[in-house]
Amino acid sequence: MRRRTGIAAFATFMTAAGVLAATAAGAATAHASTTTTSTADGSRPAGYFPGQTRLIPGDLLVSTSYYRNDPNIVAGTTELPPGCTTGCATAIANGSYPQVFNNDSVDASFGVTSPLYLEEITQSGFPQDVIPVPTSELTTSFSSKSEGALNLSTDGKSVTFMDYVAAPDTVDASNANTPGAIDPTNPVPGAYYRAVAQLSADGRFTFTETNAYSGNNGRAAVEANVDGQSVYYTAGNAGNGSNPQPTGVILGAGTQIITPSTLPEADQTVGQPTPVGSFNVTELGDKADKVGKDDNFRGLTLYNNVLYYTKGSGSNGVDTVYFLDTTGTACPDGVGLPVAGAKLPTSGIESTLTSAGLASNMCILKGFPTALAKAATDASDYPFGLWFANPTTLYVADEGAGDDTYANGSYTAAAASTTAGLQKWVYSATAGAWQLAYTLQNGLNLGTPYNVFGYPTGINSVTGLPWAPATDGLRNLTGKVNPNGTVSIWAVTSTVSGGGDQGADPNKLVEITDQLDATTPASWEQFHTVIPALYDQVVRGVSFTPGTDLGDNR
């Protein structure tokens, strides 16, 4: 089985005009980050038309990226990782898509930054607008599809997400250090801040840099107002080196609390990471593993004043659903339920750091798996995105194991999975725990390769497997409760393939309608495609537009 790693992937829906709107600009030249007019590099902080935005409440936003061929990557010449001093390799493929990602076979940290876009569509998928994120402020890493989640703020007035302060075509930024948390054992010697981007309902971007997630990626961020103060809560992973992990890496892992900045990035003073939560397998009575890697979180949601996280990759910790306990009483043995009326955290726990790690203040949500990730199989859970339909109904996107076993025209492990897809969990007051009701897969065609116009056919000579990708499960998601007692859920697909990096595969945005109070799925429930897989593009996150009032379903 090939388990999910810290570098994942994503795919996009882009108009030609949207692509042409973006140009390269180095992060070092970042300037004003709160404007709605065109920037000097030609990218637009918001809106396809200069100075104009079309954020329509009730529409969907989809985070996407488009790979621009990188002429600076030359097979047989380019050294990988860039600037390396030990363990160096030579590129085996030029910078053209998708063959460029065969370089992952010689550089495990391989990735190339590319422009990031927010695609505005109607709920049925009709294109409304393309919002380029200014590349002078933020880019994304093609193929790190585990990042780029979109979350509405608690007041519904803004959307937040995380990525890199690095110029387009930067190689290996997603596994580079951050400037304030250098790990000398990281094989990637570069250093780039990560940043939280916030798009407001009036179309204004702001960006806040952080030293968190050194050696890996920030994956999600949500903005909340706590006691009159705006804060960001974020989720991600840190570390790309060996043991012992430096203090900055441990402090910058997992869950973070960040104070938003209104200053241009070039004027920001970036301090040390501020962790707000941590989990250690010793809470369950298990033997301690790599400090900092139990906190390898992928999904994040804030519901009913409680922060929830998921872990679904890596060989440390437990792949499951967690919540942050601010009372200290919810889970003395590592498993429990949130305490009613508990407050959101307002400060970090960095002062608790010892050689054993940070103090544990997170719990596995009762009813969810507690088995160690090192014993995971294809049949295990690999949770990613979370969405609460109500206090007793939780939908969890499971991305699948990432096993690319292939035979007789099918990725057989993906096709056989009973856990990948959309899991529906229901809280049982009688049992005092969450229980899995069923998993929705119909229409995903797990493990069945699909054709993408312009994409290579046949066998990738480097991997010995077909280029054609197949859906392996789901990652980020959002949803709404309908007046007729159903829920509509939109989700981003994960993939398996014989490509050099499965994260670079073209993927899809899909939608399904489910009966909210059902305990078994109806025969008519089936996923359908909202955004199809397109050549050299990847989809990552989905949210409603800022200004959308979803009531309790946020």
Side-chain angles (χ1 to χ4, degrees), residues 153-502:
S153 59
T154 53
D155 62 7
K157 295 180 180 179
S158 65
V159 164
T160 47
F161 54 98
M162 289 199 75
D163 264 301
Y164 307 91
V165 184
D169 294 336
T170 300
V171 176
D172 292 357
S174 61
N175 276 116
N177 296 312
T178 54
I182 301 296
D183 182 354
T185 68
N186 188 345
V188 180
Y192 308 94
Y193 290 118
R194 280 56 168 164
V196 177
Q198 180 170 342
L199 175 65
S200 64
D202 63 0
R204 295 173 65 85
F205 274 120
T206 57
F207 301 89
T208 301
E209 295 179 336
T210 177
N211 274 306
Y213 308 120
S214 182
N216 220 286
N217 57 347
R219 292 163 175 159
V222 63
E223 189 268 344
N225 188 289
V226 185
D227 296 333
Q229 291 291 114
S230 177
V231 298
Y232 296 140
Y233 299 111
T234 66
N237 187 24
N240 192 41
S242 58
N243 271 327
Q245 293 175 300
T247 297
V249 170
I250 298 172
L251 292 178
T255 72
Q256 299 285 312
I257 184 170
I258 300 171
T259 300
S261 175
T262 58
L263 295 174
E265 286 187 18
D267 296 337
Q268 293 179 26
T269 300
V270 187
Q272 287 297 296
T274 309
V276 72
S278 183
F279 182 85
N280 194 300
V281 293
T282 56
E283 289 189 69
L284 303 174
D286 295 309
K287 183 181 178 180
D289 49 19
K290 190 173 184 179
V291 174
K293 284 298 183 180
D294 288 359
D295 295 338
N296 174 6
F297 298 121
R298 292 169 91 69
L300 162 68
T301 196
L302 201 171
Y303 181 76
N304 199 20
N305 223 41
V306 179
L307 287 160
Y308 295 86
Y309 301 83
T310 61
K311 181 184 178 301
S313 70
S315 58
N316 293 274
V318 178
D319 293 340
T320 194
V321 175
Y322 301 83
F323 69 94
L324 196 150
D325 173 33
T326 56
T327 68
T329 62
C331 46
D333 299 316
V335 177
L337 298 168
V339 176
K343 293 185 176 181
L344 285 168
T346 57
S347 60
I349 59 170
E350 63 275 13
S351 63
T352 69
L353 181 65
T354 67
S355 59
L358 294 162
S360 296
N361 64 345
M362 298 180 69
C363 318
I364 294 176
L365 190 59
K366 192 173 182 180
F368 282 84
T370 58
L372 293 177
K374 65 182 179 183
T377 68
D378 288 337
S380 299
D381 291 329
Y382 296 91
F384 206 110
L386 301 143
W387 179 70
F388 282 88
N390 58 37
T392 59
T393 310
L394 171 60
Y395 290 88
V396 179
D398 189 291
E399 64 177 330
D403 189 331
D404 57 8
T405 303
Y406 184 85
N408 300 319
S410 173
Y411 294 93
T412 55
S417 176
T418 60
T419 54
L422 184 63
Q423 298 179 357
K424 181 179 184 177
W425 290 76
V426 177
Y427 179 72
S428 168
T430 302
W434 289 84
Q435 298 176 339
L436 178 63
Y438 50 84
T439 301
L440 294 168
Q441 298 179 326
N442 192 22
L444 289 178
N445 301 317
L446 297 178
T448 301
Y450 52 81
N451 295 321
V452 180
F453 181 77
Y455 204 69
T457 58
I459 302 297
N460 181 352
S461 61
V462 173
T463 65
L465 294 168
W467 280 100
T471 299
D472 191 37
L474 302 173
R475 284 199 173 108
N476 289 308
L477 79 165
T478 194
K480 70 168 187 175
V481 176
N482 301 313
N484 64 355
T486 65
V487 295
S488 297
I489 297 171
W490 293 264
V492 175
T493 61
S494 62
T495 61
V496 285
S497 76
D501 185 335
Q502 294 176 159

Side-chain angles (χ1 to χ4, degrees), residues 501-544:
D501 185 335
Q502 294 176 159
D505 296 336
N507 65 340
K508 310 173 185 179
L509 180 72
V510 295
E511 186 269 345
I512 194 168
T513 300
D514 183 43
Q515 189 68 39
L516 179 57
D517 61 0
T519 55
T520 57
S523 59
W524 50 264
E525 295 186 15
Q526 179 170 319
F527 286 94
H528 72 270
T529 299
V530 179
I531 295 180
L534 298 176
Y535 176 78
D536 72 359
Q537 302 170 47
V538 288
V539 180
R540 295 168 138 202
V542 59
S543 169
F544 285 93

Side-chain angles (χ1 to χ4, degrees), residues 24-30 135-137 166-168:
T29 61
T135 57
S136 59
E137 310 288 337

